[in-house]
Amino acid sequence: MGLNSNRVDHYSGSGHAGQVHTFETTTDQITITVSSETKTVHNVCLPPKKSTLQKLRHRLSEVFFPDDPLHGFKNQSRLRKLILALQFFFPIFEWAPNYSFSLLRSDVVSGLTIASLAIPQGISYAKLANLPPIIGLYSSFVPPLIYSVLGSSKHLAVGPVSIASLVMGTMLTEAVPYNQDPVLYLKLAFTATFVAGVFQASLGLLRLGFVIDFLSKATLLGFMAGAAVIVSLQQLKGLLGIVHFTTKMQIVPVLSSAIQHRDEWSWQTIVMGFCFLAFLLATRHVGMRKPKLFWISAAAPLASVILSTLLVTLFRSKLHGIATIGHLEKGLNPPSSNMLYFHGQYLGVAIKTGIITGILSLTEGIAVGRTFAALNDYQVDGNKEMIAIGLMNMAGSCSSCYVTTGSFSRSAVNANAGAKTVVSNIIMASTVLVTLLFLMPLFHYTPNLILAAIIITAVIGLIDYQSAIRLWKVDKLDFLACLSSFLGVLMISVPIGLAIAVGVSVFKILLHVTRPNTGILGNIPGTQIYQNVNRYREASRVPFFAILGIEAPIYFANATYLQERILRWIREEEEWLAANNGSSLKCVIIDMTAVTGIDTSGLAMMKELKKMLEKRSLQLVLANPGGSVMEKLHQSNILESFGLEGVYLTVDEAVTDISSSWKPQP
């Protein structure tokens, strides 16, 4: 078939958008009234010819470089390219030359503010990961410094986070409880952090960030809510003063353990713990209701730590039943590269823990960074962020840190405090440095109950029931993914709950791919527009035509389904025509506007469908196939069987042109 040759047109002249067609039918003939304006039937062209190498290059560019990151390097001098390269890989070179004292003043205020939150949270989250509290402070010192050089977000506050801490603590404790072998546990934690960093940086370097998109918002919503409930219930150990508490992370064993160990409950711990918990929740509520008073909720955790420590120190003879953190070593992060565990029976546990915590922390960090970038009118490069977060975790694993990322709560405080650049992270890290060098003995009598209260206050915000209600209203399958994740975390385990949620999300993708939307299209009177007759009640079917719309690529996964569904549509349309106007079906038009791709299975289906319809004396016509679809139809020689009147640019042109050929000749 020569696609570049001129089509033998039934109309000539210029088409008009307002052209009207009126269809009247009887049992013997069609009466078609066409407006006085004439119309051109346009050719459907092939895309420009490209070699296989050019197609591959274009496809890879679209997959891995949709943002064209090297665009700024075009037509630049070598020196300029060097400067741009430094700015690309080290964003600090981009903003540092224009840094001013006014920016520093804002960053110092925000840095000190988030430090007041990061110090107690760092200690608390380390306990959540079953690590020594000092590891939480180490993790709030080195990673923020690395991120300040490599990161592109102005407001991301870096440090330990609750979800990654929970998952790491759960997965490692199942293999090697900390109290049984503390050294091995630390080795596995640092190794998992290193694996997480390598995984994250690799995703960024290879530009494979779409991998984390398999964790949908609905999945994460349920997962984080379930994790928040489990984390909160685990803090009953600290709030009730229980010594022998279960290490399991399911709701039934946790509640059973709290009830079974009633003899260990300490009334002193309960009174003080719930008083501070009420205070922290009240300040959090004030900060949420009145954003200008954010500093109250930001300063509350550190104030609670100071006040509770003073109370226990002054009245420790009377409050002897309250457990405290104990001795913490002063000094900077000791090197831990010699503790990385690359052989032995637990290596698999470290790798699995690293990948899962890496995905979760990366998802949270990028989501938080993009959120605040959108609120403040700047862009964050997702791949750069992956590299920055990955490298800071790799460096952290060699300096006694565990998995870190951007925290939503600290980033919100950072933004509300007026942060202008990532220097706020440097200020925060400097404050943590002073704490590590000089203030560690002050935490000796800090009660564990205050850490439990801080954790509950921090994670309770992860329970977003309003979003879950919206999911139910908008998308029941998304709600199912959310609920599956939530119940999986609560009833089975954190990793299994996450796996269930991912499985439901993948099932949703497969469902959309294998069972795409199709429908009968009708003409909206007075226009050349064809829309689904079930959606637009005013759209009317065209006599003798079955016009079908397909809203998905045609691949091996859905080709058989589409063939069966199209034949069913044709059968139903024949029944409808027979019942309403007594006419018979003569032509089937498939609107391929939304068909973005087709493979060999789809091509074979189209060829077989055409043969089946020809046996029933039905004409098959394609309308508006995309460039890639048209190219494959041409290369497979299927277009030759369709002929000149088998492919049209629009549904309207197809109806008009084919209808005119049925008009009685004078």
Side-chain angles (χ1 to χ4, degrees):
M1 176 180 176
L3 290 174
N4 294 324
S5 61
N6 293 326
R7 182 194 295 272
V8 180
D9 297 328
H10 297 281
Y11 298 94
S12 61
S14 300
H16 294 267
Q19 188 172 17
V20 180
H21 313 289
T22 304
F23 304 94
E24 300 175 5
T25 65
T26 66
T27 56
D28 299 318
Q29 63 177 4
I30 315 172
T31 302
I32 302 177
T33 304
V34 185
S35 64
S36 59
E37 294 95 342
T38 56
K39 182 179 179 72
T40 297
V41 179
H42 300 87
N43 287 325
V44 181
C45 301
L46 286 170
K49 190 173 183 180
K50 293 181 180 179
S51 66
T52 302
L53 184 60
Q54 288 175 321
K55 292 178 184 177
L56 178 62
R57 181 180 178 183
H58 174 74
R59 187 60 182 163
L60 292 177
S61 174
E62 289 298 313
V63 172
F64 297 108
F65 304 98
D67 54 344
D68 191 13
L70 301 180
H71 174 73
F73 288 80
K74 296 176 181 177
N75 303 319
Q76 300 290 342
S77 64
R78 291 185 177 180
L79 178 60
R80 182 58 182 166
K81 287 181 178 179
L82 176 61
I83 295 173
L84 289 173
L86 287 174
Q87 292 177 346
F88 183 81
F89 291 106
F90 303 97
I92 190 173
F93 288 105
E94 186 174 352
W95 57 262
N98 300 318
Y99 199 72
S100 64
F101 179 76
S102 61
L103 294 176
L104 177 63
R105 184 171 54 189
S106 299
D107 288 335
V108 167
V109 173
S110 57
L112 293 174
T113 304
I114 58 174
S116 68
L117 186 60
I119 292 171
Q121 280 191 352
I123 295 173
S124 303
Y125 291 158
K127 294 279 285 185
L128 186 59
N130 297 319
L131 291 166
I134 191 69
I135 300 295
L137 290 181
Y138 290 158
S139 302
S140 301
F141 172 53
V142 172
L145 295 177
I146 302 295
Y147 183 82
S148 64
V149 176
L150 301 173
S152 59
S153 172
K154 299 177 183 178
H155 299 94
L156 198 68
V158 172
V161 293
S162 57
I163 296 299
S165 301
L166 168 68
V167 173
M168 175 172 283
T170 303
M171 296 183 69
L172 294 184
T173 300
E174 288 178 356
V176 183
Y178 178 80
N179 54 9
Q180 291 186 10
D181 195 338
V183 175
L184 178 58
Y185 190 93
L186 282 176
K187 287 182 177 180
L188 294 179
F190 296 147
T191 305
T193 303
F194 181 80
V195 171
V198 171
F199 179 73
Q200 292 166 337
S202 299
L203 288 181
L205 288 170
L206 299 175
R207 306 185 71 83
L208 296 174
F210 58 84
V211 171
I212 64 173
D213 292 337
F214 280 96
L215 288 175
S216 65
K217 290 184 179 180
T219 297
L220 289 174
L221 181 68
F223 174 79
M224 289 190 295
V229 172
I230 286 295
V231 168
S232 300
L233 292 177
Q234 272 283 342
Q235 304 318 305
L236 291 174
K237 175 182 179 180
L239 288 177
L240 300 178
I242 299 174
V243 178
H244 303 92
F245 199 70
T246 180
T247 58
K248 295 182 179 180
M249 299 299 290
Q250 296 84 27
I251 186 170
V252 174
V254 170
L255 291 177
S256 299
S257 181
I259 295 173
Q260 289 173 1
H261 295 92
R262 291 191 303 273
D263 56 319
E264 296 182 7
W265 290 12
S266 167
W267 70 267
Q268 297 170 327
T269 302
I270 294 172
V271 171
M272 182 180 287
F274 280 94
C275 285
F276 276 106
L277 178 60
F279 168 71
L280 289 170
L281 290 175
T283 57
R284 178 181 178 274
H285 181 71
V286 170
M288 291 178 62
R289 294 290 299 272
K290 298 182 178 180
K292 291 184 179 180
L293 299 178
F294 72 92
W295 55 271
I296 294 179
S297 59
L302 185 59
S304 299
V305 169
I306 294 172
L307 181 58
S308 62
T309 303
L310 284 174
L311 288 174
V312 173
T313 302
L314 295 175
F315 302 102
R316 60 179 178 272
S317 60
K318 297 181 180 179
L319 301 176
H320 54 83
I322 296 179
T324 60
I325 292 177
H327 177 68
L328 295 176
E329 292 287 344
K330 290 194 298 183
L332 296 179
N333 301 36
S336 58
S337 55
N338 61 324
M339 297 184 70
L340 297 181
Y341 183 95
F342 293 125
H343 58 83
Q345 61 176 325
Y346 297 110
L347 178 60
V349 174
I351 293 175
K352 183 170 66 172
T353 304
I355 291 176
I356 292 178
T357 55
I359 291 175
L360 290 173
S361 60
L362 194 60
T363 302
E364 181 174 355
I366 291 179
V368 172
R370 286 176 174 169
T371 298
F372 287 100
L375 291 174
N376 293 275
D377 298 322
Y378 67 94
Q379 287 188 327
V380 168
D381 188 323
N383 289 292
K384 285 184 183 179
E385 289 296 284
M386 293 179 198
I387 296 173
I389 294 174
L391 291 178
M392 79 180 187
N393 278 318
M394 291 170 66
S397 67
C398 299
S399 54
S400 300
C401 305
Y402 76 107
V403 174
T404 54
T405 188
S407 163
F408 185 83
S409 59
R410 291 194 294 274
S411 297
V413 169
N414 195 29
N416 289 330
K420 302 299 182 184
T421 68
V422 288
V423 170
S424 59
N425 276 288
I426 298 177
I427 302 301
M428 179 193 72
S430 302
T431 307
V432 174
L433 171 63
V434 173
T435 304
L436 286 170
L437 290 177
F438 305 108
L439 304 180
M440 297 312 296
L442 300 179
F443 291 98
H444 186 281
Y445 290 108
T446 299
N448 289 332
L449 63 90
I450 199 63
L451 302 182
I454 290 172
I455 290 175
I456 292 175
T457 306
V459 302
I460 200 170
L462 299 176
I463 304 174
D464 190 355
Y465 66 90
Q466 293 179 335
S467 294
I469 293 173
R470 284 195 295 271
L471 283 178
W472 172 257
K473 293 179 179 179
V474 175
D475 191 323
K476 300 298 189 293
L477 203 54
D478 266 352
F479 179 80
L480 177 61
C482 174
L483 185 63
S484 299
S485 179
F486 178 74
L487 295 178
V489 171
L490 284 183
M491 301 300 179
I492 307 175
S493 70
V494 174
I496 297 299
L498 183 61
I500 291 173
V502 172
V504 173
S505 297
V506 171
F507 172 75
K508 180 182 177 182
I509 294 172
L510 293 175
L511 189 62
H512 285 306
V513 170
T514 59
R515 296 295 183 269
N517 290 332
T518 59
I520 291 290
L521 307 184
N523 177 250
I524 296 180
T527 72
Q528 298 177 5
I529 300 172
Y530 288 78
Q531 289 290 346
N532 194 303
V533 294
N534 290 324
R535 181 182 175 193
Y536 293 87
R537 297 299 181 183
E538 67 272 25
S540 58
R541 289 174 164 86
V542 180
F544 304 99
F545 287 89
I547 306 172
L548 307 175
I550 298 176
E551 300 178 2
I554 303 175
Y555 291 142
F556 66 93
N558 61 23
T560 302
Y561 165 79
L562 284 174
Q563 178 177 321
E564 294 172 351
R565 193 65 184 90
I566 290 171
L567 292 174
R568 177 183 165 189
W569 278 122
I570 293 171
R571 185 184 72 246
E572 292 175 352
E573 197 67 6
E574 287 176 331
E575 293 172 353
W576 186 90
L577 289 171
N580 286 272
N581 53 32
S583 62
S584 61
L585 190 63
K586 292 189 175 185
C587 181
V588 177
I589 300 176
I590 297 180
D591 183 4
M592 303 187 73
T593 303
V595 179
T596 56
I598 190 169
D599 67 358
T600 53
S601 297
L603 293 170
M605 183 274 289
M606 296 297 293
K607 188 174 182 179
E608 184 178 351
L609 179 64
K610 182 170 177 58
K611 290 181 179 178
M612 294 173 67
L613 296 183
E614 284 177 348
K615 291 180 180 179
R616 298 167 57 177
S617 299
L618 293 175
Q619 182 180 359
L620 178 63
V621 173
L622 307 180
N624 195 26
S628 62
V629 175
M630 191 67 181
E631 187 176 31
K632 291 186 178 180
L633 288 170
H634 174 60
Q635 291 173 343
S636 63
N637 297 323
I638 292 179
L639 283 180
E640 294 180 359
S641 62
F642 278 86
L644 290 171
E645 283 72 41
V647 183
Y648 288 84
L649 190 61
T650 66
V651 173
D652 180 70
E653 288 189 4
V655 171
T656 304
D657 192 43
I658 296 169
S659 298
S660 67
S661 66
W662 296 341
K663 293 173 67 176
Q665 298 299 321

